[in-house]
């Protein structure tokens, strides 16, 4: 299925449910597959590294915190990367990025451009959200 989607041979999917899953679960799965294949965007997208010895914070907890703060921003791509060595390069085409810069320090990115460096980890999620809010407001003022 993934190969068909990526090669452009698929516009939609039909999932057959034998009644053991809720409709909400089936819908979430279907929309998740469509978004992963870039066919239809219905939620915020997160791109995160798997973590390694270089990861500078608790990746799992941080992903959960960033998701809780930004899950209403449908269509945005947010990168959450463990370190500054490879993180910015691996964020692919994320709109905004949250990257470990040192122990307890985070740098924020807009695309590939660093917009705020070495923020204390405790403040970083709120600062990211504030930056995105202001940035989107600027865009809507221009548009
Ligand atoms: S971005 Fe950094 S922390 Fe994450 S997997 Fe790559 S090297 Fe490791």
């Amino acid at each position: 299925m993934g190969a068909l989607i990526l090669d452009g041979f698929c516009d939609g999917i039909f999932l057959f449910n034998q009644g053991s899953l809720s409709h909400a679960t089936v819908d979430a799965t279907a929309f998740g597959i469509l978004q992963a294949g870039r066919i239809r965007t219905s939620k915020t997208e997160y791109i995160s590294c798997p973590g390694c010895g270089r990861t500078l914070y608790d990746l799992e907890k941080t992903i959960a915190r960033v998701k809780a703060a930004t899950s209403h921003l449908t269509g945005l791509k947010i990168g959450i990367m463990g370190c500054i060595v490879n993180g910015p390069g691996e964020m692919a085409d994320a709109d905004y990025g949250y990257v470990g810069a040192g122990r307890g320090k985070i740098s924020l990115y807009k695309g590939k451009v660093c917009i705020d460096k070495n923020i204390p980890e405790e403040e970083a999620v709120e600062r990211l959200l504030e930056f995105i809010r202001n940035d989107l407001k600027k865009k809507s003022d221009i548009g």
Side-chain angles (χ1 to χ4, degrees), residues 71-142:
S71 60
H72 58 294
L73 301 169
T74 303
L76 283 191
K77 291 181 199 143
I78 300 178
I80 307 161
M81 297 291 156
C83 80
I84 207 143
V85 182
N86 294 323
E90 290 176 7
M91 279 194 297
D93 54 350
D95 299 303
Y96 301 97
Y98 179 110
V99 180
R103 278 280 153 232
K105 302 281 182 207
I106 304 298
S107 288
L108 301 179
Y109 284 72
K110 178 181 176 182
K112 298 214 178 297
V113 179
C114 183
I115 43 127
D116 214 344
K117 275 186 188 159
N118 299 322
I119 305 165
E121 193 182 342
E122 316 76 62
E123 296 171 22
V125 173
E126 188 46 46
R127 293 267 283 272
L128 173 67
L129 188 58
E130 193 184 311
F131 179 78
I132 294 174
R133 255 194 232 120
N134 290 337
D135 203 36
L136 294 179
K137 190 174 174 313
K138 260 190 240 159
K139 274 186 200 152
S140 74
D141 288 349
I142 292 168

Side-chain angles (χ1 to χ4, degrees), residues 16-62:
F16 186 68
N17 180 15
Q18 291 181 310
S20 49
L21 298 170
S22 70
H23 284 306
T25 301
V26 176
D27 282 352
T29 303
F31 282 121
I33 293 171
L34 291 175
Q35 181 147 341
R38 303 268 198 261
I39 293 173
R40 180 170 172 178
T41 300
S42 56
K43 56 188 177 181
T44 314
E45 187 157 323
Y46 300 96
I47 301 146
S48 75
C49 72
C52 71
R54 285 194 167 125
T55 308
L56 292 164
Y57 55 81
D58 185 330
L59 197 56
E60 228 171 282
K61 275 193 194 145
T62 304

